[in-house]
Amino acid sequence: MIEFWVILTGVLVGATCGIAGVFLILRKMSMIADAISHTVLFGIVMAFIITQSLNGLWMLVGAAIAGILTAYLVQLLQSSGIQEDAAIGVTFTTLFALGVLLITLFAGNVHLDVEHVLMGEISFVPWDKWTILSITMPKAVWMLLLVLVINVAFLMLFYKEMKLSTFDYVYAATIGLPVILLHYAFMTTISLTTVAAFDSVGAILVVAMLIGPAATAYLISKSIKEMFVWSVSFGVVSALVGYYAAKWLDTSIAGMMASVVGIFFIVIFIVDKCQQRLNKKAVANKRSF
Amino acid sequence: MLAGNLLWVLIGTSLLGIAAGITGTFSFLQKQSLVGDAAAHATLPGIAIAFLLTGQKELPVLMLGAAITSALSIYCIQWIVTYSKLKADAAIGLVLAVFFGVGIVLLTIVNRSPLGNQSGLNDFIFGKAAAMTKSDLTWLFMSAIIIIAVSLFMYKEWKLIIFDPVYAKGIGLPVEALKACLTALIVMTIVTGIQAVGVILMSALLIIPAASAKLWMKRLHTMLLFSGIAGGLAGIVGTFISSLRVGLSTGPIIVLCAASIFFISYLFSPKSGQLSKYRRKNKFQQGEV
């Protein structure tokens, strides 16, 4: 049973991040996700300092606020003429440093140590349980399910709008879509995803799960829908393979999941290149006849 | 007050700040600030591999390993951008997270091994500026001075390849080699700094002083000067503040000092600060200009 919960958590992380990652890649905002995954730490610490509890829901709220704040600050710096990469870099490193400092000052003794936040500890997941509607499941599973529902609902409601504002921002703005609101709503789902997953795989490895499967899917997909299917599949399979590999080698589960994401990317990258070369050759051969 | 070790640490962190400020400016101008972030995270697997191969905790060995994987990560990003349809942001995020994940896997393996005797290696994630020994500091001094000297020596060539690469090629400069040399120096800065401020906060030292300098200065040499001074100042003031009380970790405070310099520049810089922009706008609206 314990193993089941750990695996289920991993699979949910893979699926949730896989869904969230697609528009991240398409909108060229991967590094904002990286930034948010660092600043979530700041949000969680602030939530802890204000409420003095490690309640998961407050953490979700704190992290969501930190995520929006990050997106907002990056936007603010960028619109006042600071180049994009520097705007992202300045914002997240500052908030992250603040988060680390606040932890060492105010939350040193609690389970909120920085290493845990960065690397996660998925094997502790089954011990921390919540009972809602007389169903008892690990906290992480509840939170991931909640965020998965939010992500899916967001996409079902705003798929068209997201697609349009991703590929033709100017047109979307002219026909009156609230593109800026959409941007912040999307950033909110990213920070919710990050905080739901950070408990199990750690803040930085969330980035691997957010970007990796979607980037791999991007290489081989011909439509957005296809990309969603591939991205979620890569996410889930990386989590599963990562879990068993980590168990076999007796090492960090989260780290292994990220490594498997990397391996998948390399394999697909190479296969895709070979395929393209073969196609080119086939076309060249046809021409020579 | 300035008892023994503190003085040396102060000199060390200020030299590091100056070196990072200078190389950071070059990478900032190439719009590669976040590549430095990825390269900093990618030092982790190198440190672990170097330790696993040699079984030694000698700093030069670990630094060599860190430099190799760090440089490798930069080349991976370039490969992905050149040979796939993925954009730079996705490539950077993917490489960053996967290298960090592999690093954590290797680190847990190291910690389990009988040689492990851990702790020492974990310090690289967060740095341990205040607890650096004489021999750590000797390395820091030497490489910081090399970095500063080489940047000054190559100033003219790098200026040309950053601002006018076509012309540089035209007059027969080895552009690729010069770029590789610049990359090597950035990697060296990161490797030098991770011992003091850690993997995650190192990127802040590369980005923030350079971004602040851009707000004040227009010309490269003044920008380098400002950025170097800002970095050095952040190092000195940060180390000093953190020595005032036990439990204030040095890395985050150095970063926050740099961030305050950026914040002041953002508000008050005469050329592109928010205050002067606001004043200009007011004057314009009153019809004085």
Side-chain angles (χ1 to χ4, degrees), chain B residues 2-201:
Chain B
L2 286 179
N5 207 34
L6 178 62
L7 181 65
W8 290 109
V9 173
L10 272 175
I11 300 174
T13 47
S14 61
L15 274 177
L16 173 66
I18 295 170
I22 291 174
T23 48
T25 304
F26 286 115
S27 72
F28 173 88
L29 290 171
Q30 288 188 302
K31 298 202 163 55
Q32 291 206 324
S33 296
L34 294 173
V35 174
D37 185 35
H41 283 75
T43 51
L44 205 56
I47 292 166
I49 293 172
F51 179 77
L52 282 172
L53 287 181
T54 62
Q56 287 174 333
K57 236 179 264 174
E58 294 287 323
L59 195 57
V61 179
L62 300 183
M63 280 167 95
L64 184 67
I68 291 172
T69 48
S70 175
L72 184 68
S73 76
I74 295 182
Y75 283 110
C76 282
I77 292 170
Q78 283 167 0
W79 280 328
I80 293 175
V81 173
T82 321
Y83 295 112
S84 82
K85 53 181 182 174
L86 284 171
K87 301 290 176 295
D89 66 311
I92 295 172
L94 180 73
V95 166
L96 180 154
V98 169
F99 270 77
F100 195 76
V102 173
I104 287 179
V105 166
L106 293 172
L107 220 55
T108 42
I109 291 177
V110 168
N111 282 350
R112 248 188 318 108
S113 74
L115 292 160
N117 207 358
Q118 61 290 99
S119 62
L121 294 185
N122 290 352
D123 280 341
F124 283 103
I125 297 183
F126 295 110
K128 48 152 192 168
M132 284 193 293
T133 63
K134 264 273 164 58
S135 70
D136 296 342
L137 283 167
T138 317
W139 277 102
L140 207 166
F141 290 151
M142 272 165 50
S143 40
I145 286 166
I146 292 174
I147 293 163
I148 296 167
V150 173
S151 325
L152 296 181
F153 185 68
M154 305 284 271
Y155 167 73
K156 247 191 187 157
E157 284 79 6
W158 283 347
K159 185 174 167 180
L160 207 53
I161 63 165
I162 286 173
F163 293 112
D164 201 345
V166 179
Y167 178 69
K169 209 161 215 167
I171 60 168
L173 280 178
V175 174
E176 288 310 313
L178 283 169
K179 270 192 183 157
C181 180
L182 181 54
T183 306
L185 214 69
I186 291 170
V187 167
M188 192 170 160
T189 315
I190 292 169
V191 171
T192 308
I194 48 176
Q195 251 236 324
V197 294
V199 164
I200 298 168
L201 295 176

Side-chain angles (χ1 to χ4, degrees), chain A residues 109-138:
Chain A
N109 309 321
V110 212
H111 133 106
L112 243 188
D113 58 309
V114 188
E115 241 164 278
H116 177 101
V117 174
L118 287 181
M119 296 174 212
E121 198 36 90
I122 199 169
S123 45
F124 291 166
V125 158
W127 313 114
D128 195 359
K129 287 190 178 171
W130 274 357
T131 309
I132 300 173
L133 302 173
S134 72
I135 306 170
T136 308
M137 288 202 293

